[in-house]
Amino acid sequence: MAIPKVLGVETEYGILHTGVADPNPIAASSVLINAYIADLARKVDWDFEDESPGNDARGFAREGSMPPEVETHLVNAVLTNGARYYVDHAHPEFSTPECSNPLDMVRWDKAGERILGRSMEAADRILPPGQHIVVYKNNSDRKGNSYGCHENYLMDRQVPFARIVQHVMPHFVTRQIYTGAGKVGTEAASTGGIDVTFQLTQRADFFEEEVGLETTLKRPIVNTRDEPHADAQKYRRLHVIVGDANLSEVSTFLKVGVTALLLSMIEDDWFGDGGPGPAHDFTLNAPVQAMRRVSYDLTLARPLDLATGRSMTALEIQWELFGLAKKYADDRGLESIGPEEIGRDVLNRWEQVLGGLESDPSSLATQLDWVAKRQLVEGYRDRHGLSWDDARLAQLDLQYHDLRPAKSLFAKLNMERLVEERDVVSAVTEPPRTTRAYFRGKCLQRFAPAIAAANWDSMVFDLSPSKETLQRVPMMEPLRGTASIVDRLFEGCTSPAELLERLGS
Amino acid sequence: MPEREQKRRTTTTREDEVVEEAAPAGTEKADKIKAELDDLLDEIDEVLDENAEEFVRSYVQKGGE
């Protein structure tokens, strides 16, 4: 049985500090986040004790592989909505709280954008006149430097990792047709002779390996980081680095919803013995090349070679995955990715978007990022008769992702919404009710001064002077600590000591 | 799997973006989108920084992740 897909998205935002001669992105990121949290309750430090990003899902710790640097001296906050907001490398990064369905995922991902927006306003208030910090939700600077938007999916530890790799790889390559955020031109050293004026994704240029632990160089399509932030005997967290940062809600919903559904199918061996048969295998002959081939193909018509000898387009592979998913939904249900109506909506929108891509991609201009951006860029290009290398088109590309409401081109496009803005605004401070993020968020709302540290899978309370030792509350089950339990726990609870007493009893 | 029309466009010019055989509601929607895009293109130069080349050159990020 597929386990519930607890979800999360981490986004590294692009950052500019304008009005200074020698901008430092690390300092600017710190200023940005500090400005935001200065207004909030006492900042809670993130606790790194259980973090081991060097572990590998294939079951070995590689000699000489360096885990990503842990920058404990930098800003690192936990928010009352259960999110983590911090400086990673030279970017502000927002990690959503754990969500239990793809619609919540959209809501808290959007809440992240609002938090970055408020941070810019807060920074403007403390920066010297003429200086601004500006944030972009994109994945590249158009000069070969990329930063990520990573998805996370809780999975059953018992599922062989090789099976996950086999079936998720063709999906990651072909889902680009609806997850892409679009890019003018290319940053790849070689495009195999293709003249790339516009491509579907921000990220395809940057993937060089099929499977691996790295995230900053030699990026793999399937990342093997094995750090479940939960009971490691039971769970793995599939860490997905191959996606674009989406502004479109439909793109995010499908990116996360379809992937979660396919992972459930993999858990139930739906492509193999557990499925409708015969076994389905979409293994690509050259996935790394296929990533770019798909991203560069605006006609959506170029075929990819499969290991089985078949030749299929990305769209055809997605149609077959959809057909299998539909059968799976009828046979096994959609429970593992959330409430039935949300799962049905994933299927319906997936079908509708694939149909639109097939008949007329421009019909999806209010739904998908790459289509919206392409229409904007081509419209501007035609109107002014520009060549593709004109800087104004590159500028449009970047400014699509600008998070300032007055400057954001995305914001001007009237894209379809899946969540009400008031729900996004409440998610800036409120945690999801259906995961352990609720416990984390509520503890911070109620007892922030007594919380010494927080992590995905624990909270540490400092009850001094009444108690000398720090008390750790483990949270190894991502679906424990939801509103149904926590609200009762907190009812009438007046102090953190009382809370811990109740937890202990 | 639903029945699918094998109709694929291979050109990328703006004229092709109008769907000829769309239902009236679709045409209406497409017209509305096009009108909105035209409005946006009208005002876009006010939104963009004046010196595109300088802006694009100065947009430099460190790699992340």
Side-chain angles (χ1 to χ4, degrees), chain A residues 12 15 89 91 141 143 147 203 219 319 358 360 374 380 382-383, chain B residues 4 7 12 14 19 42 45 47 49 52 56 59 61-62 64-65:
Chain A
E12 289 177 334
I15 185 166
H89 300 277
H91 300 271
D141 66 358
K143 297 168 187 68
Y147 32 102
R203 292 279 278 173
R219 291 182 184 89
W319 271 124
E358 190 162 74
D360 176 21
R374 181 187 175 198
Y380 192 83
D382 287 353
R383 179 178 283 214
Chain B
R4 313 191 314 265
K7 186 180 66 158
T12 58
R14 288 271 309 147
V19 193
D42 287 341
D45 287 311
V47 180
D49 281 336
V56 171
Y59 188 91
Q61 301 289 313
K62 288 213 166 31
E65 307 176 61

PDB file of all heavy atoms in Angstrom, chain A residues 12 15 89 91 141 143 147 203 219 319 358 360 374 380 382-383, chain B residues 4 7 12 14 19 42 45 47 49 52 56 59 61-62 64-65:
ATOM      1  N   GLU A  12      15.205  28.343  -3.513  1.00  0.00           N
ATOM      2  CA  GLU A  12      16.269  29.341  -3.397  1.00  0.00           C
ATOM      3  C   GLU A  12      15.911  30.485  -4.332  1.00  0.00           C
ATOM      4  O   GLU A  12      15.726  30.262  -5.530  1.00  0.00           O
ATOM      5  CB  GLU A  12      17.615  28.761  -3.837  1.00  0.00           C
ATOM      6  CG  GLU A  12      18.177  27.747  -2.883  1.00  0.00           C
ATOM      7  CD  GLU A  12      19.489  27.155  -3.402  1.00  0.00           C
ATOM      8  OE1 GLU A  12      19.713  27.123  -4.613  1.00  0.00           O
ATOM      9  OE2 GLU A  12      20.277  26.715  -2.583  1.00  0.00           O
ATOM     10  N   ILE A  15      18.657  36.961  -5.838  1.00  0.00           N
ATOM     11  CA  ILE A  15      18.634  38.194  -5.053  1.00  0.00           C
ATOM     12  C   ILE A  15      19.565  39.244  -5.650  1.00  0.00           C
ATOM     13  O   ILE A  15      20.672  38.930  -6.085  1.00  0.00           O
ATOM     14  CB  ILE A  15      18.998  37.886  -3.572  1.00  0.00           C
ATOM     15  CG1 ILE A  15      18.849  39.137  -2.706  1.00  0.00           C
ATOM     16  CG2 ILE A  15      20.395  37.288  -3.457  1.00  0.00           C
ATOM     17  CD1 ILE A  15      18.859  38.835  -1.204  1.00  0.00           C
ATOM     18  N   HIS A  89      23.874  29.096   0.967  1.00  0.00           N
ATOM     19  CA  HIS A  89      24.884  29.590   0.042  1.00  0.00           C
ATOM     20  C   HIS A  89      24.719  31.103  -0.077  1.00  0.00           C
ATOM     21  O   HIS A  89      24.847  31.797   0.916  1.00  0.00           O
ATOM     22  CB  HIS A  89      24.799  28.866  -1.294  1.00  0.00           C
ATOM     23  CG  HIS A  89      25.003  27.378  -1.148  1.00  0.00           C
ATOM     24  ND1 HIS A  89      26.238  26.810  -1.077  1.00  0.00           N
ATOM     25  CD2 HIS A  89      24.119  26.378  -1.011  1.00  0.00           C
ATOM     26  CE1 HIS A  89      26.107  25.504  -0.908  1.00  0.00           C
ATOM     27  NE2 HIS A  89      24.836  25.216  -0.864  1.00  0.00           N
ATOM     28  N   HIS A  91      21.869  32.679  -1.241  1.00  0.00           N
ATOM     29  CA  HIS A  91      20.465  32.936  -1.588  1.00  0.00           C
ATOM     30  C   HIS A  91      19.583  32.866  -0.346  1.00  0.00           C
ATOM     31  O   HIS A  91      19.847  32.075   0.547  1.00  0.00           O
ATOM     32  CB  HIS A  91      19.966  31.872  -2.576  1.00  0.00           C
ATOM     33  CG  HIS A  91      20.733  31.844  -3.850  1.00  0.00           C
ATOM     34  ND1 HIS A  91      20.396  32.602  -4.935  1.00  0.00           N
ATOM     35  CD2 HIS A  91      21.851  31.164  -4.204  1.00  0.00           C
ATOM     36  CE1 HIS A  91      21.266  32.373  -5.913  1.00  0.00           C
ATOM     37  NE2 HIS A  91      22.170  31.513  -5.494  1.00  0.00           N
ATOM     38  N   ASP A 141      20.777  32.820 -13.634  1.00  0.00           N
ATOM     39  CA  ASP A 141      21.074  34.235 -13.907  1.00  0.00           C
ATOM     40  C   ASP A 141      21.375  34.464 -15.385  1.00  0.00           C
ATOM     41  O   ASP A 141      21.830  35.527 -15.772  1.00  0.00           O
ATOM     42  CB  ASP A 141      22.230  34.722 -13.031  1.00  0.00           C
ATOM     43  CG  ASP A 141      23.559  34.049 -13.354  1.00  0.00           C
ATOM     44  OD1 ASP A 141      23.593  33.165 -14.244  1.00  0.00           O
ATOM     45  OD2 ASP A 141      24.572  34.420 -12.727  1.00  0.00           O
ATOM     46  N   LYS A 143      23.697  33.286 -16.996  1.00  0.00           N
ATOM     47  CA  LYS A 143      25.147  33.291 -17.231  1.00  0.00           C
ATOM     48  C   LYS A 143      25.767  31.975 -16.792  1.00  0.00           C
ATOM     49  O   LYS A 143      26.953  31.879 -16.538  1.00  0.00           O
ATOM     50  CB  LYS A 143      25.770  34.455 -16.457  1.00  0.00           C
ATOM     51  CG  LYS A 143      25.276  35.802 -16.939  1.00  0.00           C
ATOM     52  CD  LYS A 143      25.644  36.922 -16.002  1.00  0.00           C
ATOM     53  CE  LYS A 143      24.975  38.212 -16.440  1.00  0.00           C
ATOM     54  NZ  LYS A 143      23.492  38.173 -16.281  1.00  0.00           N
ATOM     55  N   TYR A 147      20.342  27.943  -9.403  1.00  0.00           N
ATOM     56  CA  TYR A 147      19.959  27.703  -8.014  1.00  0.00           C
ATOM     57  C   TYR A 147      18.605  27.016  -8.052  1.00  0.00           C
ATOM     58  O   TYR A 147      17.859  27.159  -9.002  1.00  0.00           O
ATOM     59  CB  TYR A 147      19.942  29.007  -7.204  1.00  0.00           C
ATOM     60  CG  TYR A 147      19.550  30.223  -8.013  1.00  0.00           C
ATOM     61  CD1 TYR A 147      18.266  30.754  -7.928  1.00  0.00           C
ATOM     62  CD2 TYR A 147      20.447  30.815  -8.898  1.00  0.00           C
ATOM     63  CE1 TYR A 147      17.898  31.847  -8.693  1.00  0.00           C
ATOM     64  CE2 TYR A 147      20.080  31.897  -9.681  1.00  0.00           C
ATOM     65  CZ  TYR A 147      18.809  32.412  -9.574  1.00  0.00           C
ATOM     66  OH  TYR A 147      18.440  33.478 -10.352  1.00  0.00           O
ATOM     67  N   ARG A 203      15.891  24.920 -16.019  1.00  0.00           N
ATOM     68  CA  ARG A 203      16.880  24.044 -15.409  1.00  0.00           C
ATOM     69  C   ARG A 203      17.539  23.029 -16.339  1.00  0.00           C
ATOM     70  O   ARG A 203      18.603  22.500 -16.007  1.00  0.00           O
ATOM     71  CB  ARG A 203      16.210  23.261 -14.265  1.00  0.00           C
ATOM     72  CG  ARG A 203      15.822  24.123 -13.087  1.00  0.00           C
ATOM     73  CD  ARG A 203      16.968  24.394 -12.176  1.00  0.00           C
ATOM     74  NE  ARG A 203      17.189  23.287 -11.245  1.00  0.00           N
ATOM     75  CZ  ARG A 203      18.209  23.216 -10.421  1.00  0.00           C
ATOM     76  NH1 ARG A 203      19.130  24.150 -10.404  1.00  0.00           N
ATOM     77  NH2 ARG A 203      18.342  22.191  -9.610  1.00  0.00           N
ATOM     78  N   ARG A 219      25.038  18.031 -11.728  1.00  0.00           N
ATOM     79  CA  ARG A 219      23.701  17.779 -11.165  1.00  0.00           C
ATOM     80  C   ARG A 219      23.046  16.554 -11.804  1.00  0.00           C
ATOM     81  O   ARG A 219      23.020  16.425 -13.020  1.00  0.00           O
ATOM     82  CB  ARG A 219      22.806  19.000 -11.379  1.00  0.00           C
ATOM     83  CG  ARG A 219      23.208  20.213 -10.554  1.00  0.00           C
ATOM     84  CD  ARG A 219      22.247  21.363 -10.785  1.00  0.00           C
ATOM     85  NE  ARG A 219      22.665  22.566 -10.068  1.00  0.00           N
ATOM     86  CZ  ARG A 219      23.482  23.488 -10.568  1.00  0.00           C
ATOM     87  NH1 ARG A 219      23.976  23.353 -11.776  1.00  0.00           N
ATOM     88  NH2 ARG A 219      23.801  24.546  -9.861  1.00  0.00           N
ATOM     89  N   TRP A 319       1.063  10.940 -21.761  1.00  0.00           N
ATOM     90  CA  TRP A 319      -0.272  10.369 -21.973  1.00  0.00           C
ATOM     91  C   TRP A 319      -0.347   8.938 -21.464  1.00  0.00           C
ATOM     92  O   TRP A 319      -1.334   8.533 -20.853  1.00  0.00           O
ATOM     93  CB  TRP A 319      -0.648  10.392 -23.460  1.00  0.00           C
ATOM     94  CG  TRP A 319      -1.328  11.650 -23.933  1.00  0.00           C
ATOM     95  CD1 TRP A 319      -0.916  12.472 -24.953  1.00  0.00           C
ATOM     96  CD2 TRP A 319      -2.567  12.215 -23.448  1.00  0.00           C
ATOM     97  NE1 TRP A 319      -1.804  13.513 -25.118  1.00  0.00           N
ATOM     98  CE2 TRP A 319      -2.827  13.380 -24.212  1.00  0.00           C
ATOM     99  CE3 TRP A 319      -3.452  11.850 -22.444  1.00  0.00           C
ATOM    100  CZ2 TRP A 319      -3.946  14.182 -23.993  1.00  0.00           C
ATOM    101  CZ3 TRP A 319      -4.567  12.648 -22.226  1.00  0.00           C
ATOM    102  CH2 TRP A 319      -4.806  13.805 -22.991  1.00  0.00           C
ATOM    103  N   GLU A 358      -1.337  19.321 -26.733  1.00  0.00           N
ATOM    104  CA  GLU A 358      -1.408  18.593 -27.988  1.00  0.00           C
ATOM    105  C   GLU A 358      -2.119  19.399 -29.078  1.00  0.00           C
ATOM    106  O   GLU A 358      -1.672  19.462 -30.216  1.00  0.00           O
ATOM    107  CB  GLU A 358      -2.169  17.290 -27.765  1.00  0.00           C
ATOM    108  CG  GLU A 358      -2.094  16.356 -28.917  1.00  0.00           C
ATOM    109  CD  GLU A 358      -2.468  14.957 -28.466  1.00  0.00           C
ATOM    110  OE1 GLU A 358      -3.655  14.709 -28.239  1.00  0.00           O
ATOM    111  OE2 GLU A 358      -1.557  14.135 -28.316  1.00  0.00           O
ATOM    112  N   ASP A 360      -3.190  22.858 -28.936  1.00  0.00           N
ATOM    113  CA  ASP A 360      -2.752  24.245 -29.107  1.00  0.00           C
ATOM    114  C   ASP A 360      -2.168  24.769 -27.792  1.00  0.00           C
ATOM    115  O   ASP A 360      -2.911  25.263 -26.938  1.00  0.00           O
ATOM    116  CB  ASP A 360      -3.944  25.110 -29.530  1.00  0.00           C
ATOM    117  CG  ASP A 360      -3.554  26.584 -29.615  1.00  0.00           C
ATOM    118  OD1 ASP A 360      -2.342  26.876 -29.750  1.00  0.00           O
ATOM    119  OD2 ASP A 360      -4.461  27.429 -29.531  1.00  0.00           O
ATOM    120  N   ARG A 374       6.336  32.660 -22.865  1.00  0.00           N
ATOM    121  CA  ARG A 374       6.618  32.636 -24.299  1.00  0.00           C
ATOM    122  C   ARG A 374       5.715  33.612 -25.050  1.00  0.00           C
ATOM    123  O   ARG A 374       6.167  34.351 -25.932  1.00  0.00           O
ATOM    124  CB  ARG A 374       6.415  31.220 -24.830  1.00  0.00           C
ATOM    125  CG  ARG A 374       6.711  31.094 -26.302  1.00  0.00           C
ATOM    126  CD  ARG A 374       6.332  29.712 -26.808  1.00  0.00           C
ATOM    127  NE  ARG A 374       6.517  29.620 -28.246  1.00  0.00           N
ATOM    128  CZ  ARG A 374       5.956  28.672 -28.985  1.00  0.00           C
ATOM    129  NH1 ARG A 374       5.196  27.761 -28.431  1.00  0.00           N
ATOM    130  NH2 ARG A 374       6.162  28.649 -30.283  1.00  0.00           N
ATOM    131  N   TYR A 380       6.128  40.765 -27.461  1.00  0.00           N
ATOM    132  CA  TYR A 380       6.988  41.949 -27.357  1.00  0.00           C
ATOM    133  C   TYR A 380       7.992  41.988 -28.518  1.00  0.00           C
ATOM    134  O   TYR A 380       8.244  43.036 -29.111  1.00  0.00           O
ATOM    135  CB  TYR A 380       7.726  41.915 -26.022  1.00  0.00           C
ATOM    136  CG  TYR A 380       8.429  43.206 -25.666  1.00  0.00           C
ATOM    137  CD1 TYR A 380       7.738  44.260 -25.083  1.00  0.00           C
ATOM    138  CD2 TYR A 380       9.794  43.362 -25.903  1.00  0.00           C
ATOM    139  CE1 TYR A 380       8.378  45.441 -24.752  1.00  0.00           C
ATOM    140  CE2 TYR A 380      10.445  44.540 -25.570  1.00  0.00           C
ATOM    141  CZ  TYR A 380       9.735  45.578 -24.997  1.00  0.00           C
ATOM    142  OH  TYR A 380      10.373  46.749 -24.676  1.00  0.00           O
ATOM    143  N   ASP A 382       7.666  40.626 -31.507  1.00  0.00           N
ATOM    144  CA  ASP A 382       6.977  40.949 -32.764  1.00  0.00           C
ATOM    145  C   ASP A 382       6.652  42.427 -32.844  1.00  0.00           C
ATOM    146  O   ASP A 382       6.820  43.069 -33.872  1.00  0.00           O
ATOM    147  CB  ASP A 382       5.676  40.143 -32.878  1.00  0.00           C
ATOM    148  CG  ASP A 382       5.945  38.686 -33.169  1.00  0.00           C
ATOM    149  OD1 ASP A 382       7.128  38.351 -33.406  1.00  0.00           O
ATOM    150  OD2 ASP A 382       4.993  37.892 -33.152  1.00  0.00           O
ATOM    151  N   ARG A 383       6.149  42.945 -31.743  1.00  0.00           N
ATOM    152  CA  ARG A 383       5.729  44.351 -31.739  1.00  0.00           C
ATOM    153  C   ARG A 383       6.894  45.293 -32.050  1.00  0.00           C
ATOM    154  O   ARG A 383       6.740  46.264 -32.764  1.00  0.00           O
ATOM    155  CB  ARG A 383       5.130  44.699 -30.382  1.00  0.00           C
ATOM    156  CG  ARG A 383       4.703  46.147 -30.302  1.00  0.00           C
ATOM    157  CD  ARG A 383       4.073  46.451 -28.988  1.00  0.00           C
ATOM    158  NE  ARG A 383       2.703  45.959 -28.918  1.00  0.00           N
ATOM    159  CZ  ARG A 383       1.729  46.575 -28.241  1.00  0.00           C
ATOM    160  NH1 ARG A 383       1.990  47.683 -27.588  1.00  0.00           N
ATOM    161  NH2 ARG A 383       0.526  46.070 -28.210  1.00  0.00           N
TER     162      ARG A 383
ATOM    163  N   ARG B   4      -7.258  11.477 -29.141  1.00  0.00           N
ATOM    164  CA  ARG B   4      -6.496  12.707 -29.282  1.00  0.00           C
ATOM    165  C   ARG B   4      -6.360  13.073 -30.745  1.00  0.00           C
ATOM    166  O   ARG B   4      -6.191  12.232 -31.607  1.00  0.00           O
ATOM    167  CB  ARG B   4      -5.110  12.554 -28.662  1.00  0.00           C
ATOM    168  CG  ARG B   4      -5.188  11.931 -27.301  1.00  0.00           C
ATOM    169  CD  ARG B   4      -3.887  12.014 -26.574  1.00  0.00           C
ATOM    170  NE  ARG B   4      -2.717  11.643 -27.342  1.00  0.00           N
ATOM    171  CZ  ARG B   4      -2.189  10.438 -27.319  1.00  0.00           C
ATOM    172  NH1 ARG B   4      -2.747   9.477 -26.637  1.00  0.00           N
ATOM    173  NH2 ARG B   4      -1.098  10.200 -27.981  1.00  0.00           N
ATOM    174  N   LYS B   7      -2.847  17.005 -34.021  1.00  0.00           N
ATOM    175  CA  LYS B   7      -2.646  18.293 -34.691  1.00  0.00           C
ATOM    176  C   LYS B   7      -1.505  19.022 -33.994  1.00  0.00           C
ATOM    177  O   LYS B   7      -1.604  19.364 -32.828  1.00  0.00           O
ATOM    178  CB  LYS B   7      -3.923  19.125 -34.619  1.00  0.00           C
ATOM    179  CG  LYS B   7      -3.827  20.415 -35.417  1.00  0.00           C
ATOM    180  CD  LYS B   7      -5.106  21.200 -35.329  1.00  0.00           C
ATOM    181  CE  LYS B   7      -5.335  21.689 -33.923  1.00  0.00           C
ATOM    182  NZ  LYS B   7      -6.217  22.819 -33.805  1.00  0.00           N
ATOM    183  N   THR B  12       6.270  29.132 -35.001  1.00  0.00           N
ATOM    184  CA  THR B  12       6.188  29.857 -33.743  1.00  0.00           C
ATOM    185  C   THR B  12       5.811  31.323 -33.924  1.00  0.00           C
ATOM    186  O   THR B  12       5.999  32.133 -33.049  1.00  0.00           O
ATOM    187  CB  THR B  12       7.544  29.814 -33.012  1.00  0.00           C
ATOM    188  OG1 THR B  12       8.525  30.386 -33.885  1.00  0.00           O
ATOM    189  CG2 THR B  12       7.923  28.401 -32.650  1.00  0.00           C
ATOM    190  N   ARG B  14       3.420  34.619 -34.252  1.00  0.00           N
ATOM    191  CA  ARG B  14       2.266  35.069 -33.480  1.00  0.00           C
ATOM    192  C   ARG B  14       0.939  34.788 -34.195  1.00  0.00           C
ATOM    193  O   ARG B  14      -0.039  34.466 -33.554  1.00  0.00           O
ATOM    194  CB  ARG B  14       2.364  36.575 -33.214  1.00  0.00           C
ATOM    195  CG  ARG B  14       3.419  36.926 -32.215  1.00  0.00           C
ATOM    196  CD  ARG B  14       2.856  36.896 -30.798  1.00  0.00           C
ATOM    197  NE  ARG B  14       1.645  37.686 -30.700  1.00  0.00           N
ATOM    198  CZ  ARG B  14       0.650  37.403 -29.901  1.00  0.00           C
ATOM    199  NH1 ARG B  14       0.714  36.344 -29.159  1.00  0.00           N
ATOM    200  NH2 ARG B  14      -0.413  38.172 -29.840  1.00  0.00           N
ATOM    201  N   VAL B  19      -6.453  30.175 -32.713  1.00  0.00           N
ATOM    202  CA  VAL B  19      -6.962  28.854 -33.067  1.00  0.00           C
ATOM    203  C   VAL B  19      -8.151  29.024 -33.998  1.00  0.00           C
ATOM    204  O   VAL B  19      -9.173  29.574 -33.631  1.00  0.00           O
ATOM    205  CB  VAL B  19      -7.425  28.103 -31.802  1.00  0.00           C
ATOM    206  CG1 VAL B  19      -7.652  26.642 -32.132  1.00  0.00           C
ATOM    207  CG2 VAL B  19      -6.415  28.255 -30.702  1.00  0.00           C
ATOM    208  N   ASP B  42       1.374  47.262 -24.082  1.00  0.00           N
ATOM    209  CA  ASP B  42       1.327  48.724 -24.128  1.00  0.00           C
ATOM    210  C   ASP B  42       2.042  49.351 -22.940  1.00  0.00           C
ATOM    211  O   ASP B  42       2.722  50.358 -23.059  1.00  0.00           O
ATOM    212  CB  ASP B  42      -0.140  49.206 -24.118  1.00  0.00           C
ATOM    213  CG  ASP B  42      -0.809  48.952 -25.455  1.00  0.00           C
ATOM    214  OD1 ASP B  42      -0.071  48.768 -26.447  1.00  0.00           O
ATOM    215  OD2 ASP B  42      -2.054  48.918 -25.504  1.00  0.00           O
ATOM    216  N   ASP B  45       6.798  48.824 -21.210  1.00  0.00           N
ATOM    217  CA  ASP B  45       8.020  49.620 -21.187  1.00  0.00           C
ATOM    218  C   ASP B  45       8.130  50.465 -19.921  1.00  0.00           C
ATOM    219  O   ASP B  45       9.221  50.795 -19.478  1.00  0.00           O
ATOM    220  CB  ASP B  45       8.115  50.484 -22.447  1.00  0.00           C
ATOM    221  CG  ASP B  45       8.451  49.623 -23.658  1.00  0.00           C
ATOM    222  OD1 ASP B  45       9.393  48.826 -23.564  1.00  0.00           O
ATOM    223  OD2 ASP B  45       7.742  49.741 -24.670  1.00  0.00           O
ATOM    224  N   VAL B  47       7.209  49.390 -17.067  1.00  0.00           N
ATOM    225  CA  VAL B  47       7.565  48.464 -15.987  1.00  0.00           C
ATOM    226  C   VAL B  47       9.040  48.065 -16.058  1.00  0.00           C
ATOM    227  O   VAL B  47       9.698  47.847 -15.056  1.00  0.00           O
ATOM    228  CB  VAL B  47       6.676  47.199 -16.076  1.00  0.00           C
ATOM    229  CG1 VAL B  47       7.020  46.219 -14.980  1.00  0.00           C
ATOM    230  CG2 VAL B  47       5.211  47.596 -15.985  1.00  0.00           C
ATOM    231  N   ASP B  49      13.050  48.239 -16.581  1.00  0.00           N
ATOM    232  CA  ASP B  49      14.119  49.203 -16.351  1.00  0.00           C
ATOM    233  C   ASP B  49      14.558  49.773 -17.687  1.00  0.00           C
ATOM    234  O   ASP B  49      14.484  49.111 -18.717  1.00  0.00           O
ATOM    235  CB  ASP B  49      15.313  48.524 -15.671  1.00  0.00           C
ATOM    236  CG  ASP B  49      15.081  48.346 -14.183  1.00  0.00           C
ATOM    237  OD1 ASP B  49      14.271  49.117 -13.632  1.00  0.00           O
ATOM    238  OD2 ASP B  49      15.685  47.448 -13.589  1.00  0.00           O
ATOM    239  N   ALA B  52      18.074  47.988 -20.465  1.00  0.00           N
ATOM    240  CA  ALA B  52      17.936  46.525 -20.438  1.00  0.00           C
ATOM    241  C   ALA B  52      19.297  45.846 -20.401  1.00  0.00           C
ATOM    242  O   ALA B  52      19.516  44.899 -19.649  1.00  0.00           O
ATOM    243  CB  ALA B  52      17.141  46.048 -21.648  1.00  0.00           C
ATOM    244  N   VAL B  56      20.455  43.306 -17.489  1.00  0.00           N
ATOM    245  CA  VAL B  56      20.714  41.890 -17.762  1.00  0.00           C
ATOM    246  C   VAL B  56      22.161  41.537 -17.392  1.00  0.00           C
ATOM    247  O   VAL B  56      22.435  40.477 -16.827  1.00  0.00           O
ATOM    248  CB  VAL B  56      20.415  41.556 -19.239  1.00  0.00           C
ATOM    249  CG1 VAL B  56      20.891  40.155 -19.599  1.00  0.00           C
ATOM    250  CG2 VAL B  56      18.921  41.692 -19.514  1.00  0.00           C
ATOM    251  N   TYR B  59      22.585  41.285 -13.594  1.00  0.00           N
ATOM    252  CA  TYR B  59      21.880  40.224 -12.882  1.00  0.00           C
ATOM    253  C   TYR B  59      22.814  39.012 -12.805  1.00  0.00           C
ATOM    254  O   TYR B  59      22.854  38.166 -13.695  1.00  0.00           O
ATOM    255  CB  TYR B  59      20.567  39.851 -13.584  1.00  0.00           C
ATOM    256  CG  TYR B  59      19.738  38.889 -12.751  1.00  0.00           C
ATOM    257  CD1 TYR B  59      18.793  39.360 -11.849  1.00  0.00           C
ATOM    258  CD2 TYR B  59      19.946  37.518 -12.823  1.00  0.00           C
ATOM    259  CE1 TYR B  59      18.053  38.492 -11.058  1.00  0.00           C
ATOM    260  CE2 TYR B  59      19.225  36.636 -12.032  1.00  0.00           C
ATOM    261  CZ  TYR B  59      18.277  37.125 -11.156  1.00  0.00           C
ATOM    262  OH  TYR B  59      17.571  36.258 -10.358  1.00  0.00           O
ATOM    263  N   GLN B  61      24.181  35.881 -10.235  1.00  0.00           N
ATOM    264  CA  GLN B  61      23.921  35.128  -9.014  1.00  0.00           C
ATOM    265  C   GLN B  61      25.037  34.123  -8.797  1.00  0.00           C
ATOM    266  O   GLN B  61      25.686  33.683  -9.740  1.00  0.00           O
ATOM    267  CB  GLN B  61      22.593  34.370  -9.144  1.00  0.00           C
ATOM    268  CG  GLN B  61      21.384  35.250  -9.409  1.00  0.00           C
ATOM    269  CD  GLN B  61      21.001  36.080  -8.204  1.00  0.00           C
ATOM    270  OE1 GLN B  61      20.918  35.566  -7.087  1.00  0.00           O
ATOM    271  NE2 GLN B  61      20.777  37.371  -8.413  1.00  0.00           N
ATOM    272  N   LYS B  62      25.220  33.764  -7.537  1.00  0.00           N
ATOM    273  CA  LYS B  62      26.085  32.626  -7.257  1.00  0.00           C
ATOM    274  C   LYS B  62      25.261  31.358  -7.436  1.00  0.00           C
ATOM    275  O   LYS B  62      24.059  31.357  -7.184  1.00  0.00           O
ATOM    276  CB  LYS B  62      26.598  32.723  -5.816  1.00  0.00           C
ATOM    277  CG  LYS B  62      27.641  33.817  -5.614  1.00  0.00           C
ATOM    278  CD  LYS B  62      28.625  33.366  -4.567  1.00  0.00           C
ATOM    279  CE  LYS B  62      29.902  34.172  -4.457  1.00  0.00           C
ATOM    280  NZ  LYS B  62      29.865  35.587  -4.779  1.00  0.00           N
ATOM    281  N   GLY B  64      23.718  27.847  -6.460  1.00  0.00           N
ATOM    282  CA  GLY B  64      23.204  27.503  -5.146  1.00  0.00           C
ATOM    283  C   GLY B  64      23.034  26.013  -4.947  1.00  0.00           C
ATOM    284  O   GLY B  64      23.706  25.227  -5.581  1.00  0.00           O
ATOM    285  N   GLU B  65      22.099  25.666  -4.071  1.00  0.00           N
ATOM    286  CA  GLU B  65      21.637  24.304  -3.770  1.00  0.00           C
ATOM    287  C   GLU B  65      22.496  23.529  -2.822  1.00  0.00           C
ATOM    288  O   GLU B  65      22.800  23.658  -1.828  1.00  0.00           O
ATOM    289  CB  GLU B  65      21.497  23.464  -5.026  1.00  0.00           C
ATOM    290  CG  GLU B  65      20.636  24.156  -6.067  1.00  0.00           C
ATOM    291  CD  GLU B  65      20.550  23.406  -7.364  1.00  0.00           C
ATOM    292  OE1 GLU B  65      20.078  22.286  -7.371  1.00  0.00           O
ATOM    293  OE2 GLU B  65      20.941  23.968  -8.385  1.00  0.00           O
TER     294      GLU B  65
END
